[in-house]
Amino acid sequence: MIYAQIKNNMVQNTIVLEDLNLESLFAKGFDSLVRVDNLTPQPGIGWGYNGTSFTAPAVSTPSPQQLAEQQIINDINFGQNLITQFAAANAVAGISQSTGSTLAVLSYTANLSQCLYTGSLLAALTMMTEMLADNSAAKTACAPYITNAVIISYMNQIQTYMGLPLTS
């Protein structure tokens, strides 16, 4: 049997109790102990109790500010994961053995990294589009760590995350 431990008109905990002789032990420190496995819906932690009936907690709807903050947190986490993925792929490819390549890649991607780090994914896509068209010596110095194929693969990850059409 499942019981709700009630304190201050609120379900604080639920327990499975098979030995009814232990009811008084599990009621200590609570205002009441109420069997709930026979109720539909079954009350849980956070439900209100007025002595005779249970009420579900109010469902809170996040504010536009809270939704925006959560989206930004998600975007930042996504961007930082891309940075980690890029760094790990380059480490596996041997970038750490080439100081010149490391510095070239860091310099070439500084603004892009800042966009990804802050979750500015549309700005990152704009920069990557410009990088695709770039034929400068600065980009060439970053090969094989930064190539159009590498750029497109990261653009596609961002576009998939954002629900945008993929770059081919």
Side-chain angles (χ1 to χ4, degrees):
M1 292 176 275
I2 300 174
Y3 286 82
Q5 294 172 310
I6 313 291
K7 186 159 187 94
N8 299 324
N9 298 324
M10 182 77 58
V11 176
Q12 301 295 313
N13 193 24
T14 58
I15 60 169
V16 175
L17 186 60
E18 296 299 329
D19 185 351
L20 298 182
N21 294 321
L22 297 175
E23 265 187 43
S24 63
L25 176 67
F26 285 95
K28 284 185 181 171
F30 295 95
D31 299 332
S32 59
L33 185 70
V34 179
R35 184 174 173 190
V36 295
D37 61 330
N38 55 350
L39 302 175
T40 303
Q42 185 174 313
I45 295 171
W47 282 55
Y49 183 67
N50 64 9
T52 58
S53 62
F54 290 91
T55 54
V59 177
S60 65
T61 303
S63 70
Q65 176 73 23
Q66 290 169 319
L67 291 172
E69 288 174 6
Q70 186 58 57
Q71 185 60 54
I72 290 168
I73 289 168
N74 293 344
D75 292 351
I76 288 170
N77 288 337
F78 181 81
Q80 291 178 356
N81 286 337
L82 287 180
I83 291 169
T84 301
Q85 180 184 354
F86 179 72
N90 287 339
V92 168
I95 196 170
S96 58
Q97 284 75 38
S98 174
T99 303
S101 293
T102 301
L103 294 175
V105 169
L106 286 172
S107 176
Y108 191 75
T109 61
N111 290 334
L112 174 60
S113 295
Q114 188 65 27
C115 287
L116 293 172
Y117 183 75
T118 61
S120 302
L121 302 177
L122 285 175
L125 284 173
T126 298
M127 292 180 142
M128 293 169 127
T129 300
E130 293 169 3
M131 293 167 93
L132 286 175
D134 184 9
N135 292 318
S136 70
K139 181 179 175 185
T140 303
C142 295
Y145 310 107
I146 296 178
T147 63
N148 282 357
V150 169
I151 295 167
I152 289 171
S153 73
Y154 285 97
M155 288 178 75
N156 284 338
Q157 287 185 61
I158 295 170
Q159 290 161 327
T160 297
Y161 171 80
M162 296 180 74
L164 300 172
L166 301 181
T167 301
S168 49

mmCIF file of all heavy atoms in Angstrom, residues 80-100:
data_model
loop_
_atom_site.group_PDB
_atom_site.id
_atom_site.type_symbol
_atom_site.label_atom_id
_atom_site.label_comp_id
_atom_site.label_asym_id
_atom_site.label_seq_id
_atom_site.Cartn_x
_atom_site.Cartn_y
_atom_site.Cartn_z
ATOM 1 N N GLN A 80 28.777 25.526 -27.157
ATOM 2 C CA GLN A 80 29.954 25.070 -26.431
ATOM 3 C C GLN A 80 30.264 23.607 -26.742
ATOM 4 O O GLN A 80 31.432 23.223 -26.810
ATOM 5 C CB GLN A 80 29.785 25.315 -24.934
ATOM 6 C CG GLN A 80 29.818 26.799 -24.620
ATOM 7 C CD GLN A 80 29.600 27.122 -23.160
ATOM 8 O OE1 GLN A 80 29.344 26.260 -22.337
ATOM 9 N NE2 GLN A 80 29.698 28.399 -22.831
ATOM 10 N N ASN A 81 29.226 22.806 -26.960
ATOM 11 C CA ASN A 81 29.461 21.420 -27.373
ATOM 12 C C ASN A 81 30.126 21.357 -28.743
ATOM 13 O O ASN A 81 30.987 20.508 -28.983
ATOM 14 C CB ASN A 81 28.154 20.621 -27.374
ATOM 15 C CG ASN A 81 27.688 20.284 -25.976
ATOM 16 O OD1 ASN A 81 28.465 20.239 -25.041
ATOM 17 N ND2 ASN A 81 26.398 20.064 -25.828
ATOM 18 N N LEU A 82 29.733 22.255 -29.650
ATOM 19 C CA LEU A 82 30.391 22.295 -30.963
ATOM 20 C C LEU A 82 31.863 22.678 -30.824
ATOM 21 O O LEU A 82 32.724 22.114 -31.511
ATOM 22 C CB LEU A 82 29.681 23.276 -31.899
ATOM 23 C CG LEU A 82 28.332 22.852 -32.461
ATOM 24 C CD1 LEU A 82 27.781 23.935 -33.376
ATOM 25 C CD2 LEU A 82 28.413 21.530 -33.186
ATOM 26 N N ILE A 83 32.153 23.629 -29.958
ATOM 27 C CA ILE A 83 33.541 24.042 -29.725
ATOM 28 C C ILE A 83 34.343 22.847 -29.205
ATOM 29 O O ILE A 83 35.460 22.577 -29.677
ATOM 30 C CB ILE A 83 33.616 25.223 -28.732
ATOM 31 C CG1 ILE A 83 33.039 26.491 -29.379
ATOM 32 C CG2 ILE A 83 35.046 25.452 -28.261
ATOM 33 C CD1 ILE A 83 32.826 27.637 -28.401
ATOM 34 N N THR A 84 33.799 22.126 -28.266
ATOM 35 C CA THR A 84 34.476 20.955 -27.709
ATOM 36 C C THR A 84 34.681 19.891 -28.775
ATOM 37 O O THR A 84 35.760 19.298 -28.885
ATOM 38 C CB THR A 84 33.665 20.387 -26.527
ATOM 39 O OG1 THR A 84 33.533 21.405 -25.534
ATOM 40 C CG2 THR A 84 34.325 19.164 -25.933
ATOM 41 N N GLN A 85 33.648 19.653 -29.576
ATOM 42 C CA GLN A 85 33.730 18.662 -30.656
ATOM 43 C C GLN A 85 34.835 19.045 -31.645
ATOM 44 O O GLN A 85 35.639 18.213 -32.050
ATOM 45 C CB GLN A 85 32.377 18.577 -31.362
ATOM 46 C CG GLN A 85 32.316 17.597 -32.499
ATOM 47 C CD GLN A 85 30.965 17.660 -33.208
ATOM 48 O OE1 GLN A 85 30.046 18.352 -32.783
ATOM 49 N NE2 GLN A 85 30.855 16.947 -34.286
ATOM 50 N N PHE A 86 34.888 20.327 -32.018
ATOM 51 C CA PHE A 86 35.892 20.823 -32.961
ATOM 52 C C PHE A 86 37.300 20.676 -32.382
ATOM 53 O O PHE A 86 38.217 20.189 -33.039
ATOM 54 C CB PHE A 86 35.591 22.293 -33.290
ATOM 55 C CG PHE A 86 36.561 22.943 -34.232
ATOM 56 C CD1 PHE A 86 36.578 22.598 -35.585
ATOM 57 C CD2 PHE A 86 37.451 23.900 -33.773
ATOM 58 C CE1 PHE A 86 37.468 23.199 -36.459
ATOM 59 C CE2 PHE A 86 38.342 24.514 -34.642
ATOM 60 C CZ PHE A 86 38.360 24.160 -35.991
ATOM 61 N N ALA A 87 37.462 21.053 -31.112
ATOM 62 C CA ALA A 87 38.775 20.957 -30.472
ATOM 63 C C ALA A 87 39.231 19.501 -30.369
ATOM 64 O O ALA A 87 40.399 19.193 -30.630
ATOM 65 C CB ALA A 87 38.732 21.605 -29.085
ATOM 66 N N ALA A 88 38.316 18.619 -30.007
ATOM 67 C CA ALA A 88 38.671 17.205 -29.886
ATOM 68 C C ALA A 88 39.039 16.608 -31.245
ATOM 69 O O ALA A 88 40.016 15.859 -31.352
ATOM 70 C CB ALA A 88 37.517 16.428 -29.254
ATOM 71 N N ALA A 89 38.269 16.934 -32.278
ATOM 72 C CA ALA A 89 38.569 16.416 -33.623
ATOM 73 C C ALA A 89 39.946 16.885 -34.079
ATOM 74 O O ALA A 89 40.724 16.126 -34.667
ATOM 75 C CB ALA A 89 37.496 16.841 -34.613
ATOM 76 N N ASN A 90 40.266 18.130 -33.790
ATOM 77 C CA ASN A 90 41.572 18.664 -34.183
ATOM 78 C C ASN A 90 42.700 18.065 -33.349
ATOM 79 O O ASN A 90 43.797 17.843 -33.861
ATOM 80 C CB ASN A 90 41.576 20.189 -34.104
ATOM 81 C CG ASN A 90 40.764 20.797 -35.235
ATOM 82 O OD1 ASN A 90 40.533 20.161 -36.257
ATOM 83 N ND2 ASN A 90 40.335 22.021 -35.047
ATOM 84 N N ALA A 91 42.442 17.790 -32.082
ATOM 85 C CA ALA A 91 43.455 17.133 -31.252
ATOM 86 C C ALA A 91 43.751 15.735 -31.788
ATOM 87 O O ALA A 91 44.918 15.348 -31.904
ATOM 88 C CB ALA A 91 42.991 17.075 -29.796
ATOM 89 N N VAL A 92 42.692 15.023 -32.151
ATOM 90 C CA VAL A 92 42.873 13.685 -32.725
ATOM 91 C C VAL A 92 43.641 13.771 -34.044
ATOM 92 O O VAL A 92 44.482 12.924 -34.351
ATOM 93 C CB VAL A 92 41.509 12.985 -32.925
ATOM 94 C CG1 VAL A 92 41.634 11.731 -33.765
ATOM 95 C CG2 VAL A 92 40.882 12.666 -31.576
ATOM 96 N N ALA A 93 43.390 14.834 -34.803
ATOM 97 C CA ALA A 93 44.066 15.010 -36.095
ATOM 98 C C ALA A 93 45.497 15.526 -35.939
ATOM 99 O O ALA A 93 46.209 15.669 -36.924
ATOM 100 C CB ALA A 93 43.254 15.961 -36.973
ATOM 101 N N GLY A 94 45.922 15.820 -34.704
ATOM 102 C CA GLY A 94 47.312 16.184 -34.473
ATOM 103 C C GLY A 94 47.617 17.664 -34.406
ATOM 104 O O GLY A 94 48.779 18.058 -34.500
ATOM 105 N N ILE A 95 46.623 18.501 -34.216
ATOM 106 C CA ILE A 95 46.869 19.944 -34.196
ATOM 107 C C ILE A 95 47.825 20.363 -33.081
ATOM 108 O O ILE A 95 48.600 21.301 -33.239
ATOM 109 C CB ILE A 95 45.554 20.744 -34.117
ATOM 110 C CG1 ILE A 95 45.810 22.212 -34.507
ATOM 111 C CG2 ILE A 95 44.924 20.623 -32.748
ATOM 112 C CD1 ILE A 95 44.545 23.022 -34.696
ATOM 113 N N SER A 96 47.801 19.649 -31.967
ATOM 114 C CA SER A 96 48.641 20.045 -30.833
ATOM 115 C C SER A 96 50.134 19.860 -31.111
ATOM 116 O O SER A 96 50.972 20.422 -30.419
ATOM 117 C CB SER A 96 48.236 19.297 -29.563
ATOM 118 O OG SER A 96 48.321 17.911 -29.778
ATOM 119 N N GLN A 97 50.477 19.099 -32.140
ATOM 120 C CA GLN A 97 51.880 18.932 -32.510
ATOM 121 C C GLN A 97 52.352 20.027 -33.458
ATOM 122 O O GLN A 97 53.516 20.056 -33.835
ATOM 123 C CB GLN A 97 52.110 17.556 -33.177
ATOM 124 C CG GLN A 97 52.134 16.391 -32.197
ATOM 125 C CD GLN A 97 50.757 16.009 -31.694
ATOM 126 O OE1 GLN A 97 49.797 16.043 -32.442
ATOM 127 N NE2 GLN A 97 50.672 15.679 -30.417
ATOM 128 N N SER A 98 51.464 20.915 -33.847
ATOM 129 C CA SER A 98 51.801 21.959 -34.804
ATOM 130 C C SER A 98 51.421 23.323 -34.248
ATOM 131 O O SER A 98 50.290 23.774 -34.424
ATOM 132 C CB SER A 98 51.065 21.694 -36.125
ATOM 133 O OG SER A 98 51.266 22.745 -37.024
ATOM 134 N N THR A 99 52.370 23.976 -33.586
ATOM 135 C CA THR A 99 52.097 25.274 -32.969
ATOM 136 C C THR A 99 51.585 26.279 -33.986
ATOM 137 O O THR A 99 50.647 27.020 -33.718
ATOM 138 C CB THR A 99 53.372 25.824 -32.292
ATOM 139 O OG1 THR A 99 53.814 24.854 -31.345
ATOM 140 C CG2 THR A 99 53.101 27.141 -31.598
ATOM 141 N N GLY A 100 52.164 26.293 -35.169
ATOM 142 C CA GLY A 100 51.728 27.235 -36.201
ATOM 143 C C GLY A 100 50.278 27.014 -36.590
ATOM 144 O O GLY A 100 49.515 27.969 -36.737
#
